[in-house]
Amino acid sequence: QVQLVESGGGLVQPGGSLRLSCAASGITFSIYTMGWYRQAPGKQRELVAAITRHQNTNYADSVKGRFTISRDNTKDTVYLQMNSLKPEDTAVYYCNAMYVSTYWGQGTQVTVSS
């Protein structure tokens, strides 16, 4: 059974930081492209950042220079370091694993508000 379990969300003030984690099980983690998506109320789910098995990364323009995606294949975990957070970053953040099949986590809420 495949599981992607996100953690690290919460409430943070504008300008603050959060680190999201996604622990995977039931897949050969090292071969998967891992991604973080987000969905704000009334909006479509969008790609935030992704990292391939070869450590190639890509980011949404809105988060470039503020967010960093990384992975630890020894822990089957992908991270999203989020700095300089803005209110418009408020969303549910979802972990995604993609290879032949695609899997999703349950999501973690990130709220940026003063």
Side-chain angles (χ1 to χ4, degrees):
Q1 181 182 358
V2 178
Q3 282 193 312
L4 300 177
V5 180
E6 301 103 332
S7 60
L11 173 64
V12 63
Q13 292 187 341
S17 297
L18 282 175
R19 187 195 196 203
L20 304 184
S21 300
C22 171
S25 59
I27 60 172
T28 306
F29 180 82
S30 61
I31 68 175
Y32 276 74
T33 290
M34 300 300 298
W36 287 97
Y37 288 70
R38 67 187 181 188
Q39 187 166 19
K43 295 189 176 181
Q44 289 189 328
R45 191 174 297 190
E46 63 175 358
L47 175 67
V48 176
I51 184 166
T52 70
R53 60 190 294 185
H54 301 297
Q55 304 282 349
N56 297 314
T57 59
N58 69 288
Y59 297 91
D61 287 343
S62 59
V63 306
K64 282 181 181 176
R66 300 189 297 123
F67 291 10
T68 302
I69 189 171
S70 61
R71 65 191 297 162
D72 185 341
N73 290 342
T74 67
K75 297 181 179 179
D76 290 356
T77 300
V78 61
Y79 305 97
L80 185 68
Q81 178 66 45
M82 305 186 294
N83 298 329
S84 302
L85 282 160
K86 305 176 181 180
E88 51 263 43
D89 295 318
T90 295
V92 178
Y93 283 71
Y94 296 91
C95 179
N96 170 275
M98 183 175 64
Y99 184 55
V100 175
S101 299
T102 299
Y103 303 100
W104 293 92
Q106 81 287 351
T108 185
Q109 177 70 47
V110 172
T111 302
V112 185
S113 175
S114 54

